[in-house]
Amino acid sequence: MTYLEIDDLVKQFGDLTAVDDVSFTVEEGEFVTVVGPSGCGKTTTLRMIAGLEDPTAGTIRIRGDDITSLPAYERDIGVVFQDYALFPHKTVFENIAFGLKMRGASEAEQEAAVEEMLRIINLEGYEDQYPHECSGGEQQRVAVARALAFDPDLVLMDEPLSNLDKKLRQSMRTELKRIQRETGVTTIYVTHNQTEALSMGDNIAVLNDGRLEQFGDPKAAYQDPDTPFVADFLGQSSQVSGTFRHNGSGPEVVSDGGTTIDVTPKDDVTDGDDVEVFLRNELLSLVDGESNGANVFEGEVRNVDYQGSDVNYFVSVPSLGTTVMVSATTGMQQTTFSEGTSVELAIDPADVIYTHP
Ligand SMILES: Nc1ncnc2c1ncn2[C@@H]1O[C@H](COP(=O)(O)OP(=O)(O)OP(=O)(O)O)[C@@H](O)[C@H]1O
Ligand SMILES: [Mg+2]
């Protein structure tokens, strides 16, 4: 059953439209990630769902009931804020029990719920510690427990992992998904980290400048983006403008510089359409001999950026009129290319992403 329905949601702050006609739906038990650059309206959208900000226009429904003007405290929603601030003078127990206490739960109920939450977040025995006695990652988990302990129908998380280092962030990501599966709580999770959004979401919402650019399956958003913004924002790629057409052997894009790039057909693109082509770094390969497949372009390695597990090559490709970045995994068996090497750049037509501008 559709749990949450956001319909034509708008938020204006004076002349600024922070959220511009956003609509999407969330099914019960789903994990939806919201991603987009800083200032695109992620927090504002979440705050409207939580009832902390009044929408300028639009409706928010939960299980079909219009809750747009319901006060925050009457919504059954747990929130983890961007700075996850715990109450500093309350213990871990009091922090987690807060929502229950506010809702009039008995002490026995509070104890049972806190015990259960501490088990879920792997912090048994931390009841009496204060936030300053917990590590950053532990505090973050307590904030998650606080949002979940009163058994809300919906949890909103705003960049809950923003203050963690890469390793801790990764393990917390797995932990959060486990917690969500275990509790089955419907979750909306805001991040500006595209990897996080792609890996955690059942569905992903990509916001840009207040507008929803794409909503749906993360894999579809990555492999078949609706707009150039989504193609560019998710992943790393080099962009070439051109025109779509069919020739004898199949569909292709002729770049503005006159180079043809073989592609596979798309339902919504027809001959003569202007398109933007995106060549994903990791789908391009470098070959240093003769190759005879489709989509081979000559270039020269201009810069090599060694990153441990992978290496990025910046290759100037005159026929595409641009410098293209190619990512390759490193390894003893891997050919490496040095600056100044002439190379051929190849990409499978099926891997070429293109969209209407
Ligand atoms: N209370 C407010 N008054 C005026 N403008 C606001 C207010 N809150 C947010 N804005 C503006 O609305 C826009 C969207 O802000 P929002 O906080 O939703 O962005 P965000 O996507 O969460 O960004 P970030 O990734 O940096 O957290 C921004 O331009 C911001 O300056
Ligand atoms: Mg924000």
Side-chain angles (χ1 to χ4, degrees), residues 84-96 118 123 125-140 142-143:
Y84 68 89
L86 296 172
F87 306 117
H89 303 298
K90 292 188 194 293
T91 62
V92 165
F93 180 98
E94 291 162 341
N95 265 284
I96 298 177
L118 286 172
L123 286 182
Y126 276 62
E127 290 83 344
D128 298 330
Q129 304 209 184
Y130 285 88
H132 74 269
E133 296 169 324
C134 300
S135 75
E138 289 163 355
Q139 290 180 40
Q140 213 127 44
V142 173

Side-chain angles (χ1 to χ4, degrees), residues 38-165:
S38 186
C40 71
K42 303 181 296 295
T43 296
T44 308
T45 302
L46 231 55
R47 285 176 57 82
M48 288 192 281
I49 298 171
L52 301 167
E53 200 82 72
D54 285 329
T56 309
T59 9
I60 303 169
R61 290 191 192 83
I62 286 189
R63 292 204 180 91
D65 294 333
D66 187 340
I67 60 148
T68 318
S69 24
L70 199 69
Y73 61 85
E74 285 182 24
R75 302 186 189 194
D76 207 12
I77 298 177
V79 184
V80 184
F81 290 108
Q82 206 156 0
D83 56 8
Y84 68 89
L86 296 172
F87 306 117
H89 303 298
K90 292 188 194 293
T91 62
V92 165
F93 180 98
E94 291 162 341
N95 265 284
I96 298 177
F98 184 78
L100 285 158
K101 202 171 167 189
M102 294 294 287
R103 286 167 176 77
S106 70
E107 293 213 350
E109 283 169 326
Q110 292 178 39
E111 271 168 32
V114 172
E115 192 181 328
E116 164 75 358
M117 283 319 305
L118 286 172
R119 182 189 63 74
I120 289 178
I121 62 168
N122 286 330
L123 286 182
E124 284 121 322
Y126 276 62
E127 290 83 344
D128 298 330
Q129 304 209 184
Y130 285 88
H132 74 269
E133 296 169 324
C134 300
S135 75
E138 289 163 355
Q139 290 180 40
Q140 213 127 44
R141 278 183 273 167
V142 173
V144 171
R146 183 177 59 178
L148 291 170
F150 64 94
D151 197 21
D153 280 346
L154 176 65
V155 172
L156 308 175
M157 299 195 195
D158 195 353
E159 306 253 10
L161 309 183
S162 53
N163 297 331
L164 304 184
D165 65 42

